[in-house]
Structures are given as C-alpha cells and as structure tokens.
Amino acid sequence: MTSFKKKLDEEIGEAPRFTKALQERIVHSAEQHQPKQNGGWQYPTIIVAAIVTLLFLIASGPWERTEYVQHASIVELAQIEEIQQLSIVQNWDEDRINVGRIGWVIGQQEFTKGTETKLIENVLQNAVVAQKNDDYYGVSDVWVAFDNGQTVKVKMFKNKDKEQLAFLDIQTNTFYQVNDEQAVIEFTNFLFKEDPFNFTVFLLWIGVIILGAWITERAVRWKFNIPKEPKYVSVNHQRVVFTFKVINIIAITIFNLKGWIIYIAADFTLIITLTLINVATEYYFGRHEKRHYVAVTTTTYLLIVFTAFIIWVQ
C-alpha cells in the first residue's frame, strides 16, 4: 500500500463517500502522475559511446587507406606473377578510385583465378608506356592481387576514336597503352558485357522490403501490445530522438561526400552505430512499454535486408 493510499483511507474514514472502484481509480491516476525514475547511467553511456565511435570512424577515414607495396609496377608483375584475384567496377570519375579487394566495395564484379584473370594478364603483358591525351576517357577501376601477395589498383581508359585500351597504374602514376589488338578486343568484350541489372526487379525488391518492414513492425506491436501513440513518452524522449535524427543526416551526408558509402564495411559500421543509438534510446525511455522491441526487430530486419542486397549486387 502506498503512502498516498494510506492517507486517502484516513481522510475517507471507515464509511467512504466513494465506491471502492472509484477509490482505486483515484489512486491509480495519482500514481500514474508521479514522476517516473528513469534507468541508471548505463543507457546514456551507451548512447554517448555510440556517437563517439561514429565520430571517430568519420575522422579516421579507414576506407581510404591504400594497400600498395612499393615494389615492381603492375606491368612488371604481370610478366612474372599470376593474378589470383580480380575486382572491377565501372567508374567514369578520373579523380577517384572506387574499387577494392573482394568483398570490400558495393557493386564491383569479383573474380578468382580463371578465365577473367587470364584476360587481364594478357592485356597487362602487352602494355607499353605511353603519353595520356584528351582522346582517352576513364571507364573502369580495377584491383588485382598477385601470387606474391601484392595488390595494385589501376584506372582503365578507352580511346574516343578507336578501339584502344589504356590504363593508369595508381601506384607508380604511369600511363600504359595496350597495342595488342586481339588482347584489347577480348578484354573489352568481357569488360563491357551487358549489365544484368534489371530496374523493374529493383523496384519490386524495394516494394517487398517496405512491405516487409511494415508487416514486421505491426507483428511485434501486436505480439507485445506495444502502443504506437503517443509517439514519444516524454518531451525529453522527443528531443533526444530529434537530435539523433539530425546526427543521422549529418553522418550519411559526410559518408556520401567522402565517397565512403560504396564500402561495405563502412556501411555496416554506419548502420550498426545508428541503429544501436536508436535501440538504446527506445530502451532508456520506453522499456516499460517494451518500445525497444520494435527498435531491436527493425535493426535485425535492416541488417538482413542489407546483407541480402550486398549478395545480390555482387
């Protein structure tokens, strides 16, 4: 029995002027308006730690570190070493390299030792140093890993007026031209084969993902009787959510401007960090209504969808 209930009983006396049901409603209403004690210091600490981690990753920018070993040029390596792995991605921006080791960049084509690696070996073995001019334009980025463990990135170019292939060795900043016509034709046919991307299928996938998210949220709310309204349990809850939405927008904008959005590891880090903040916030403010169950389910669903998307585009 609460102190408020005891005091109420004393005021009312042995012959209460209200029915028992009405007394219980009065007591329940008074207890509901008493200030709730939020959880301990752990949850704000988790939120702050998540933000600090995100800011540290943004500041350090590990996605731009190079993998070069200052040994032979890529042409010299192709003469004595076999290519074990190959990654290719289309990119017309000559000022940026958007390719990386296998499983590192979204949308790149990836191959292990086989027909494709032999084609690029043939191209590299028939390359000679040349002078770059305005007749060449960038078309693709290529990452190769040789038997000896060395990895090299090159920017592929095509000639505007003729079937001429060339590339820039990023490690040595040396421009090469491939003079073997047959090698150029074979590699070009492979490099510019028809893109299997289907826009209709992509839109269908988007619709399925949105529908799945809606069904998942409704199912969790129904299962655990989690209210959808009011949207916020308090003014502080609303302020914190709004603050983190602003942080989310800033973080995503920085990732886009820096070009980190193409890196799978960067995207996973961003998604996990932002969703961890959301889960911690909902648990801190809404755990009495199990609101964090929705956040946990949404996070799990988002990670599954992102993983499936990466597998599909690779």
Side-chain angles (χ1 to χ4, degrees):
M1 178 183 295
T2 65
S3 58
F4 179 82
K5 178 70 165 56
K6 184 177 180 181
K7 186 176 180 180
L8 181 65
D9 288 342
E10 291 175 355
E11 292 289 334
I12 294 175
E14 295 293 328
R17 288 168 291 175
F18 307 100
T19 65
K20 186 176 181 179
L22 181 58
Q23 291 181 41
E24 290 177 351
R25 287 200 299 271
I26 294 173
V27 173
H28 178 73
S29 176
E31 290 178 341
Q32 287 293 316
H33 285 82
Q34 292 180 357
K36 295 182 180 179
Q37 297 295 324
N38 282 329
W41 52 267
Q42 297 95 333
Y43 312 115
T45 302
I46 292 174
I47 295 173
V48 173
I51 297 175
V52 171
T53 301
L54 177 62
L55 295 177
F56 172 78
L57 290 170
I58 292 175
S60 60
W63 336 113
E64 293 182 348
R65 293 175 184 169
T66 56
E67 304 168 338
Y68 309 137
V69 178
Q70 295 297 327
H71 292 158
S73 70
I74 190 171
V75 172
E76 294 170 333
L77 282 168
Q79 305 294 333
I80 57 176
E81 301 286 346
E82 289 188 334
I83 295 176
Q84 289 293 320
Q85 294 181 330
L86 167 67
S87 298
I88 300 176
V89 64
Q90 290 187 358
N91 179 23
W92 290 270
D93 184 356
E94 297 184 13
D95 297 324
R96 175 178 290 178
I97 296 291
N98 291 340
V99 73
R101 64 174 58 252
I102 288 182
W104 190 238
V105 177
I106 295 176
Q108 66 185 12
Q109 295 177 280
E110 301 173 345
F111 308 94
T112 53
K113 191 173 183 178
T115 303
E116 296 81 10
T117 59
K118 288 296 182 183
L119 287 174
I120 194 170
E121 277 180 11
N122 193 26
V123 165
L124 296 175
Q125 290 168 359
N126 288 280
V128 295
V129 177
Q131 184 69 37
K132 185 180 180 302
N133 55 55
D134 293 338
D135 292 335
Y136 289 99
Y137 62 96
V139 290
S140 296
D141 299 336
V142 180
W143 174 92
V144 294
F146 291 93
D147 276 338
N148 66 351
Q150 185 171 353
T151 61
V152 183
K153 294 179 182 179
V154 300
K155 170 75 72 175
M156 282 285 177
F157 293 85
K158 280 195 71 178
N159 193 294
K160 299 176 183 177
D161 301 322
K162 54 184 178 180
E163 287 296 325
Q164 185 70 60
L165 192 66
F167 62 89
L168 177 68
D169 185 340
I170 303 302
Q171 175 184 354
T172 62
N173 197 33
T174 305
F175 190 81
Y176 295 91
Q177 178 178 291
V178 183
N179 292 327
D180 189 307
E181 185 177 346
Q182 185 61 31
V184 170
I185 293 174
E186 291 177 354
F187 185 74
T188 301
N189 290 339
F190 152 70
L191 188 63
F192 300 104
K193 62 184 178 182
E194 184 179 355
D195 188 356
F197 179 79
N198 189 311
F199 187 70
T200 303
V201 174
F202 176 74
L203 289 180
L204 181 61
W205 265 103
I206 295 296
V208 171
I209 290 171
I210 294 174
L211 178 62
W214 181 80
I215 293 175
T216 301
E217 180 180 345
R218 289 292 297 270
V220 173
R221 289 188 182 278
W222 174 81
K223 174 69 176 178
F224 298 101
N225 195 26
I226 303 171
K228 191 172 183 179
E229 297 294 339
K231 188 175 182 180
Y232 307 104
V233 298
S234 66
V235 175
N236 285 338
H237 183 202
Q238 183 177 10
R239 289 172 180 170
V240 170
V241 170
F242 177 78
T243 301
F244 287 138
K245 283 182 178 180
V246 174
I247 293 175
N248 291 354
I249 294 173
I250 294 174
I252 294 172
T253 301
I254 292 175
F255 266 61
N256 274 296
L257 293 177
K258 288 287 187 178
W260 299 339
I261 202 74
I262 66 171
Y263 297 105
I264 296 173
D267 291 336
F268 264 116
T269 302
L270 182 65
I271 290 173
I272 291 173
T273 303
L274 297 184
T275 52
L276 175 63
I277 292 174
N278 183 43
V279 171
T281 302
E282 294 304 308
Y283 183 84
Y284 182 66
F285 289 101
R287 62 188 179 279
H288 301 293
E289 297 177 337
K290 300 179 180 179
R291 290 175 178 251
H292 59 291
Y293 285 11
V294 176
V296 171
T297 305
T298 303
T299 298
T300 304
Y301 178 81
L302 182 62
L303 291 175
I304 292 174
V305 168
F306 181 73
T307 302
F309 171 74
I310 293 301
I311 294 174
W312 178 54
V313 299
Q314 291 300 88

